[in-house]
Structure formats: C-alpha cells, structure tokens
Short mmCIF file of all heavy atoms in Angstrom, two decimals:
data_model
loop_
_atom_site.label_atom_id
_atom_site.label_comp_id
_atom_site.label_asym_id
_atom_site.label_seq_id
_atom_site.Cartn_x
_atom_site.Cartn_y
_atom_site.Cartn_z
N VAL A 16 13.46 6.41 28.80
CA VAL A 16 13.49 5.16 28.03
C VAL A 16 14.12 5.45 26.67
O VAL A 16 13.73 6.42 26.00
CB VAL A 16 12.06 4.59 27.86
CG1 VAL A 16 12.05 3.40 26.90
CG2 VAL A 16 11.49 4.18 29.22
N PRO A 17 15.08 4.63 26.23
CA PRO A 17 15.76 4.93 24.96
C PRO A 17 14.87 4.64 23.75
O PRO A 17 14.12 3.66 23.73
CB PRO A 17 16.96 3.99 24.99
CG PRO A 17 16.51 2.83 25.83
CD PRO A 17 15.62 3.43 26.88
N PHE A 18 14.98 5.49 22.75
CA PHE A 18 14.29 5.31 21.48
C PHE A 18 15.27 5.53 20.34
O PHE A 18 16.22 6.29 20.47
CB PHE A 18 13.14 6.32 21.33
CG PHE A 18 11.88 5.95 22.07
CD1 PHE A 18 11.76 6.19 23.43
CD2 PHE A 18 10.81 5.36 21.41
CE1 PHE A 18 10.61 5.86 24.11
CE2 PHE A 18 9.65 5.03 22.07
CZ PHE A 18 9.55 5.28 23.43
N GLU A 19 14.98 4.86 19.24
CA GLU A 19 15.74 5.06 18.01
C GLU A 19 14.76 5.40 16.90
O GLU A 19 13.70 4.76 16.78
CB GLU A 19 16.51 3.80 17.61
CG GLU A 19 17.53 3.33 18.62
CD GLU A 19 18.10 1.96 18.28
OE1 GLU A 19 17.56 1.31 17.37
OE2 GLU A 19 19.08 1.56 18.94
N ALA A 20 15.09 6.39 16.08
CA ALA A 20 14.28 6.66 14.89
C ALA A 20 14.55 5.57 13.86
O ALA A 20 15.68 5.11 13.72
CB ALA A 20 14.63 8.03 14.31
N LYS A 21 13.51 5.11 13.17
CA LYS A 21 13.68 4.09 12.15
C LYS A 21 12.94 4.49 10.87
O LYS A 21 12.02 5.33 10.90
CB LYS A 21 13.17 2.72 12.64
CG LYS A 21 11.71 2.69 13.00
CD LYS A 21 11.26 1.29 13.44
CE LYS A 21 10.97 0.37 12.30
NZ LYS A 21 9.79 0.77 11.52
N PRO A 22 13.34 3.92 9.75
CA PRO A 22 12.65 4.24 8.50
C PRO A 22 11.20 3.75 8.52
O PRO A 22 10.85 2.79 9.19
CB PRO A 22 13.47 3.48 7.44
CG PRO A 22 14.77 3.16 8.10
CD PRO A 22 14.47 3.00 9.55
N PHE A 23 10.37 4.42 7.77
CA PHE A 23 9.00 3.96 7.52
C PHE A 23 8.61 4.51 6.16
O PHE A 23 9.48 4.80 5.34
CB PHE A 23 8.04 4.37 8.65
CG PHE A 23 7.93 5.85 8.87
CD1 PHE A 23 6.86 6.57 8.38
CD2 PHE A 23 8.90 6.52 9.62
CE1 PHE A 23 6.76 7.93 8.59
CE2 PHE A 23 8.80 7.89 9.84
CZ PHE A 23 7.73 8.60 9.32
N SER A 24 7.34 4.63 5.88
CA SER A 24 6.91 5.08 4.55
C SER A 24 5.69 5.98 4.67
O SER A 24 4.92 5.88 5.63
CB SER A 24 6.57 3.89 3.65
OG SER A 24 7.68 3.03 3.49
N VAL A 25 5.52 6.84 3.67
CA VAL A 25 4.32 7.67 3.57
C VAL A 25 3.86 7.68 2.13
O VAL A 25 4.61 7.33 1.21
CB VAL A 25 4.56 9.12 4.06
CG1 VAL A 25 5.00 9.14 5.51
CG2 VAL A 25 5.60 9.82 3.18
N GLY A 26 2.63 8.08 1.91
CA GLY A 26 2.10 8.13 0.55
C GLY A 26 0.61 8.35 0.56
O GLY A 26 0.09 9.17 1.33
N VAL A 27 -0.08 7.60 -0.28
CA VAL A 27 -1.52 7.76 -0.47
C VAL A 27 -2.16 6.38 -0.60
O VAL A 27 -1.47 5.37 -0.73
CB VAL A 27 -1.84 8.57 -1.75
CG1 VAL A 27 -1.32 9.99 -1.62
CG2 VAL A 27 -1.23 7.89 -2.99
N ARG A 28 -3.48 6.34 -0.56
CA ARG A 28 -4.24 5.16 -0.97
C ARG A 28 -4.60 5.33 -2.43
O ARG A 28 -5.02 6.42 -2.84
CB ARG A 28 -5.52 5.02 -0.15
CG ARG A 28 -5.34 4.35 1.19
CD ARG A 28 -5.41 2.85 1.12
NE ARG A 28 -4.42 2.26 2.00
CZ ARG A 28 -4.18 0.96 2.10
NH1 ARG A 28 -4.85 0.10 1.35
NH2 ARG A 28 -3.26 0.51 2.90
N ILE A 29 -4.45 4.29 -3.23
CA ILE A 29 -4.84 4.34 -4.64
C ILE A 29 -5.95 3.33 -4.87
O ILE A 29 -5.87 2.18 -4.42
CB ILE A 29 -3.64 4.09 -5.58
CG1 ILE A 29 -4.06 4.27 -7.03
CG2 ILE A 29 -2.98 2.73 -5.34
CD1 ILE A 29 -2.90 4.40 -8.01
N GLU A 30 -7.01 3.78 -5.54
CA GLU A 30 -8.18 2.93 -5.81
C GLU A 30 -8.37 2.72 -7.30
O GLU A 30 -8.31 3.67 -8.09
CB GLU A 30 -9.45 3.57 -5.25
CG GLU A 30 -9.55 3.57 -3.75
CD GLU A 30 -10.92 4.02 -3.27
OE1 GLU A 30 -11.09 5.24 -3.04
OE2 GLU A 30 -11.82 3.17 -3.11
N HIS A 31 -8.60 1.46 -7.67
CA HIS A 31 -8.97 1.06 -9.03
C HIS A 31 -10.25 0.22 -8.95
O HIS A 31 -10.57 -0.36 -7.90
CB HIS A 31 -7.88 0.18 -9.66
CG HIS A 31 -6.57 0.86 -9.86
ND1 HIS A 31 -5.61 0.92 -8.86
CD2 HIS A 31 -6.03 1.48 -10.94
CE1 HIS A 31 -4.54 1.56 -9.33
NE2 HIS A 31 -4.77 1.90 -10.58
N PRO A 32 -10.97 0.08 -10.05
CA PRO A 32 -12.08 -0.88 -10.07
C PRO A 32 -11.54 -2.29 -9.83
O PRO A 32 -10.53 -2.69 -10.42
CB PRO A 32 -12.65 -0.74 -11.48
CG PRO A 32 -12.19 0.60 -11.96
CD PRO A 32 -10.85 0.82 -11.33
N GLN A 33 -12.21 -3.06 -8.98
CA GLN A 33 -11.75 -4.41 -8.70
C GLN A 33 -11.75 -5.26 -9.96
O GLN A 33 -10.87 -6.10 -10.17
CB GLN A 33 -12.61 -5.07 -7.62
CG GLN A 33 -12.18 -6.47 -7.25
CD GLN A 33 -10.76 -6.52 -6.69
OE1 GLN A 33 -10.43 -5.80 -5.76
NE2 GLN A 33 -9.93 -7.40 -7.25
N GLY A 34 -12.73 -5.04 -10.84
CA GLY A 34 -12.79 -5.81 -12.08
C GLY A 34 -11.55 -5.61 -12.94
O GLY A 34 -11.07 -6.54 -13.60
N LEU A 35 -11.02 -4.38 -12.95
CA LEU A 35 -9.80 -4.11 -13.71
C LEU A 35 -8.63 -4.92 -13.15
O LEU A 35 -7.84 -5.50 -13.90
CB LEU A 35 -9.50 -2.61 -13.66
CG LEU A 35 -8.25 -2.10 -14.40
CD1 LEU A 35 -8.46 -0.67 -14.88
CD2 LEU A 35 -7.00 -2.16 -13.53
N VAL A 36 -8.51 -4.96 -11.83
CA VAL A 36 -7.43 -5.72 -11.20
C VAL A 36 -7.61 -7.21 -11.47
O VAL A 36 -6.64 -7.93 -11.77
CB VAL A 36 -7.38 -5.44 -9.69
CG1 VAL A 36 -6.31 -6.30 -9.00
CG2 VAL A 36 -7.11 -3.96 -9.43
N ASP A 37 -8.85 -7.69 -11.42
CA ASP A 37 -9.11 -9.11 -11.71
C ASP A 37 -8.65 -9.47 -13.13
O ASP A 37 -7.99 -10.49 -13.33
CB ASP A 37 -10.61 -9.42 -11.58
CG ASP A 37 -11.11 -9.35 -10.14
OD1 ASP A 37 -10.28 -9.38 -9.22
OD2 ASP A 37 -12.34 -9.26 -9.96
N ARG A 38 -8.99 -8.63 -14.08
CA ARG A 38 -8.61 -8.91 -15.48
C ARG A 38 -7.10 -8.83 -15.67
O ARG A 38 -6.51 -9.63 -16.42
CB ARG A 38 -9.33 -7.95 -16.42
CG ARG A 38 -10.84 -8.16 -16.50
CD ARG A 38 -11.48 -7.33 -17.59
NE ARG A 38 -11.38 -5.90 -17.32
CZ ARG A 38 -12.23 -5.21 -16.57
NH1 ARG A 38 -13.25 -5.83 -15.98
NH2 ARG A 38 -12.09 -3.91 -16.40
N SER A 39 -6.48 -7.89 -14.99
CA SER A 39 -5.04 -7.75 -15.11
C SER A 39 -4.30 -8.96 -14.54
O SER A 39 -3.31 -9.42 -15.12
CB SER A 39 -4.58 -6.48 -14.39
OG SER A 39 -3.17 -6.38 -14.41
N GLN A 40 -4.79 -9.48 -13.44
CA GLN A 40 -4.10 -10.59 -12.77
C GLN A 40 -4.52 -11.96 -13.28
O GLN A 40 -3.68 -12.87 -13.36
CB GLN A 40 -4.36 -10.52 -11.26
CG GLN A 40 -3.84 -9.26 -10.58
CD GLN A 40 -2.33 -9.18 -10.60
OE1 GLN A 40 -1.73 -8.81 -11.61
NE2 GLN A 40 -1.70 -9.54 -9.49
N PHE A 41 -5.79 -12.13 -13.61
CA PHE A 41 -6.32 -13.46 -13.91
C PHE A 41 -6.72 -13.66 -15.37
O PHE A 41 -7.09 -14.77 -15.75
CB PHE A 41 -7.53 -13.76 -13.03
CG PHE A 41 -7.23 -13.84 -11.55
CD1 PHE A 41 -8.22 -13.56 -10.62
CD2 PHE A 41 -5.97 -14.20 -11.09
CE1 PHE A 41 -7.96 -13.64 -9.26
CE2 PHE A 41 -5.70 -14.28 -9.74
CZ PHE A 41 -6.70 -14.00 -8.81
#
C-alpha cells in the first residue's frame, strides 16, 4: 500500500496557572 511522508510537529506541553491566562485574555 503506498504511503507518503508528511510534515507534522513535535514539542512539549506548557502549563500556566489558568488565572494568569484569564487575566491576560480578559
């Protein structure tokens, strides 16, 4: 069966306090 390699991504999970994100956005 034919396959093609395609781009994807790698990295990490980053965690912040939700309250910080709330204040930054709202």
Side-chain angles (χ1 to χ4, degrees):
V16 172
F18 280 80
E19 299 171 350
K21 60 179 278 293
F23 59 101
S24 301
V25 300
V27 295
R28 277 274 140 184
I29 185 165
E30 289 189 269
H31 296 86
Q33 181 61 53
L35 180 150
V36 176
D37 291 344
R38 292 188 295 275
S39 176
Q40 298 294 79
F41 295 154

